Amino acid sequence: MSRILILGNSGSGKTWLAAALAENNGSDVVNLDSVFWMPGGYNQKRSEEQVAIAIEEIKQSSDWVVEGVFGALIEPLVECADMMIYLDFQWQDCYEALLSRGSESSKQLDPEAADANFQALLTWASQYEHRHNKNSREFHQRLYQSFEKDKYRLLNRNDVNQFVKDFGASI
């Protein structure tokens, strides 16, 4: 059984790391964006009831790698996680990765809406360190500090690559 939580800012590489770890151990990957947002773009939230049902389903599963920035969705999973990985990257690294990756919503929306959503994401992600809610560096640090099982704080892409190299196959 393996239940891994990965948290950090947008652009920190949570999705890539989740896929790499899941490939090594055969776990399901859960991207919390897909729990929070309705299909078709990042502009319509799911109902609180739908989100709560999805979180309970995740909790019941025996093997998963859950990744996301949404601390309110991560928080109820902490109690059943075996490991936490906190990608505590500087904004510049996240920004460059977001620019390199481009808009995820461009796959789902018309070009104008996709560009507007991407610009909104860049603005929102740039505020990670200054927010005082559950989608902030402050809250992620609290979750990480209070987690009492295996945990790893990775500060840059080199740390992530070394982690996958050293631990990926054994997780």
Side-chain angles (χ1 to χ4, degrees):
M1 182 170 88
S2 178
R3 295 174 171 173
I4 303 168
L5 286 173
I6 302 171
L7 59 149
N9 196 9
S10 298
S12 61
K14 298 177 304 292
T15 302
W16 181 89
L17 178 57
L21 295 178
E23 182 179 317
N24 285 338
N25 71 4
S27 296
D28 292 329
V29 173
V30 179
N31 178 317
L32 290 177
D33 282 343
S34 66
V35 172
F36 188 78
W37 299 108
M38 295 290 290
Y42 299 108
N43 58 355
Q44 187 177 1
K45 297 175 185 177
R46 292 185 189 273
S47 72
E48 287 183 28
E49 181 181 347
Q50 290 172 314
V51 170
I53 290 169
I55 294 297
E56 283 306 312
E57 288 174 359
I58 294 166
K59 288 171 76 171
Q60 298 307 312
S61 182
S62 62
D63 290 295
W64 43 256
V65 180
V66 172
E67 60 88 5
V69 68
F70 299 112
L73 304 185
I74 294 167
E75 193 172 29
L77 298 170
V78 168
E79 66 189 61
C80 55
D82 304 311
M83 176 186 293
M84 180 181 288
I85 303 168
Y86 173 32
L87 301 183
D88 190 14
F89 285 27
Q90 295 300 308
W91 164 240
Q92 188 62 34
D93 293 331
C94 295
Y95 178 71
E96 290 171 6
L98 288 168
L99 289 179
S100 176
R101 174 184 89 189
S103 173
E104 292 292 310
S105 58
S106 66
K107 301 170 188 167
Q108 303 168 351
L109 301 171
D110 67 82
E112 286 182 27
D115 186 54
N117 282 350
F118 185 59
Q119 294 307 314
L121 171 64
L122 289 174
T123 299
W124 185 79
S126 73
Q127 299 164 348
Y128 177 69
E129 190 159 337
H130 306 288
R131 285 193 291 266
H132 299 289
N133 60 26
K134 292 187 177 187
N135 305 324
S136 67
R137 171 176 269 136
E138 172 185 59
F139 188 74
H140 288 173
Q141 286 176 339
R142 273 191 275 155
L143 286 177
Y144 176 79
Q145 289 168 351
S146 65
F147 192 72
E148 296 180 353
K149 299 177 187 170
D150 289 341
K151 61 184 178 180
Y152 301 88
R153 180 174 168 246
L154 308 178
L155 302 176
N156 54 52
R157 304 230 181 276
N158 289 336
D159 287 355
V160 171
N161 291 333
Q162 191 65 48
F163 179 85
V164 170
K165 181 180 174 187
D166 292 346
F167 296 103
S170 63
I171 294 176

